Amino acid sequence: MKLLRETIRKIILESPESDDFIEWWVNKENRVKYDNWNRMDFTKHEDMLAQHPEESKTNTSPKSFVIPDAQQIKRLVQDKRAIKQYWNENCDRAFWQSGKVKFFHSLNYYESGISSHKLSTGIAKEDDMANLNIKGFFRKYKLENNKDEMSTYGIYDGQPPSDSISREVFTLGVLIEGRVTFAHAEDVMSESRSKATAADYKAHQSSGMPKRMPPGAEYIGGLLFTEADCREKGINECILDNWSIKTIVIEKGTMRKWKESAVREYAAELGINVLYSHEVV
């Protein structure tokens, strides 16, 4: 029966790893449901969340959200770690490190120009964040061996992440390489480095700041363990650790506020190549 079940799964491109994960999560001892949490709380690191949980009601909806206490926050962190650990223990590591997937971090939402700005930290509200620009990004992160985990768009088989992803994300960005620590078919609202306090940074100073999937029910079915998962579900957010910057990517003819010549000049200073986005996706 086991052999028959595995054969059927392969025929219809179902991943046994994905199925087993859902079964593991649903049957997890003392499993907590996070359906009535404010999703923005999932993007905060532990100390930041303890100090600044989202308001119980939004301006556009009367829905009341959980305002988590210390015990609930601790359990949230434990569940995030458990899901990520499960992924790393059960993913097809050979596939994720094979080069079949490219990992693109978009800089198109960063400020225009190439002058330097610092990364915002200790910010509880999205609207209060001041994004880096390209020079600030390269001054914040090294060309090699960055410890803080980075979210990227996964590009599998030369295809954009999904039909819902605008081409604008490829206006400016970087291709990075590193150890893949998570992959999902959607944007999973993992933690933001800006939403961390000094205490959060101190807690992770040896290993680097983590990024983890929230345990909300809507995300559970989208984990990507294998190449078959990518073909079946598509690919969106991938998280990399110990990553290095390999190439700057720009959209030909649509630099908007950025001047291609300035970007190429800065890339030459850094000693890295520039590709057009159509050469990547």
Side-chain angles (χ1 to χ4, degrees):
M1 287 298 295
K2 181 179 179 182
L3 180 60
L4 176 61
R5 186 167 59 250
E6 290 179 351
T7 301
I8 293 172
R9 279 169 166 166
K10 289 179 181 179
I11 291 174
I12 63 176
L13 292 180
E14 286 185 351
S15 165
E17 291 82 1
S18 182
D19 291 347
D20 290 345
F21 166 73
I22 294 173
E23 183 177 354
W24 169 81
W25 176 252
V26 170
N27 296 318
K28 194 172 185 294
E29 186 178 0
N30 299 322
R31 182 170 62 91
V32 176
K33 293 185 178 180
Y34 294 91
D35 299 340
N36 58 343
W37 281 55
N38 190 309
R39 294 302 181 261
M40 300 312 297
D41 278 338
F42 291 148
T43 65
K44 297 174 183 176
H45 286 273
E46 187 172 358
D47 187 60
M48 170 61 74
L49 177 55
Q51 293 190 38
H52 300 286
E54 291 290 310
E55 296 178 1
S56 61
K57 295 181 180 179
T58 67
N59 292 329
T60 58
S61 171
K63 179 179 178 180
S64 294
F65 295 106
V66 167
I67 301 180
D69 58 27
Q71 184 176 357
Q72 290 171 310
I73 292 171
K74 182 178 180 180
R75 183 56 187 263
L76 170 66
V77 174
Q78 289 174 346
D79 285 343
K80 283 185 173 185
R81 286 173 177 162
I83 291 173
K84 195 165 185 182
Q85 181 178 356
Y86 187 103
W87 189 91
N88 280 274
E89 291 175 351
N90 293 276
C91 72
D92 183 352
R93 176 63 56 190
F95 164 67
W96 290 108
Q97 303 299 150
S98 67
K100 289 185 177 181
V101 179
K102 295 185 177 72
F103 303 101
F104 175 81
H105 179 70
S106 179
L107 303 179
N108 84 305
Y109 58 88
Y110 284 23
E111 294 179 7
S112 61
I114 60 171
S115 60
S116 178
H117 288 274
K118 293 182 178 180
L119 179 72
S120 296
T121 58
I123 307 298
K125 296 291 184 182
E126 295 275 329
D127 292 343
D128 295 334
M129 290 184 187
N131 285 316
L132 286 169
N133 53 32
I134 182 172
K135 214 167 216 183
F137 177 83
F138 281 99
R139 289 184 176 176
K140 167 65 179 177
Y141 301 109
K142 301 175 293 183
L143 292 183
E144 297 182 344
N145 300 321
N146 292 280
K147 294 193 301 181
D148 292 346
E149 289 191 310
M150 180 63 76
S151 285
T152 69
Y153 292 106
I155 301 171
Y156 171 65
D157 199 24
Q159 298 299 312
S162 72
D163 292 339
S164 62
I165 300 298
S166 169
R167 287 295 305 184
E168 283 194 1
V169 304
F170 300 106
T171 300
L172 177 65
V174 289
L175 288 179
I176 70 174
E177 294 178 1
R179 178 177 173 80
V180 186
T181 60
F182 190 76
H184 201 280
E186 302 174 25
D187 178 351
V188 295
M189 298 185 71
S190 56
E191 292 101 331
S192 168
R193 285 175 301 280
S194 294
K195 294 182 178 181
T197 66
D200 287 318
Y201 273 93
K202 184 176 181 180
H204 298 287
Q205 61 184 350
S206 60
S207 59
M209 298 296 287
K211 292 181 75 68
R212 298 161 295 201
M213 183 190 107
E218 67 267 43
Y219 302 113
I220 296 302
L223 279 75
L224 307 175
F225 292 92
T226 66
E227 185 170 8
D229 288 335
C230 294
R231 291 196 298 265
E232 178 189 1
K233 303 176 184 179
I235 186 171
N236 193 308
E237 184 171 353
C238 298
I239 298 173
L240 272 65
D241 195 8
N242 296 319
W243 53 275
S244 300
I245 301 168
K246 309 308 292 185
T247 308
I248 294 177
V249 178
I250 59 176
E251 181 79 15
K252 186 175 182 179
T254 58
M255 286 296 292
R256 298 194 309 173
K257 296 179 181 179
W258 297 283
K259 292 183 179 179
E260 182 176 330
S261 59
V263 173
R264 288 187 177 277
E265 181 179 340
Y266 188 53
E269 291 178 24
L270 296 169
I272 60 177
N273 294 327
V274 178
L275 289 176
Y276 286 124
S277 58
H278 70 262
E279 299 175 279
V280 178
V281 291

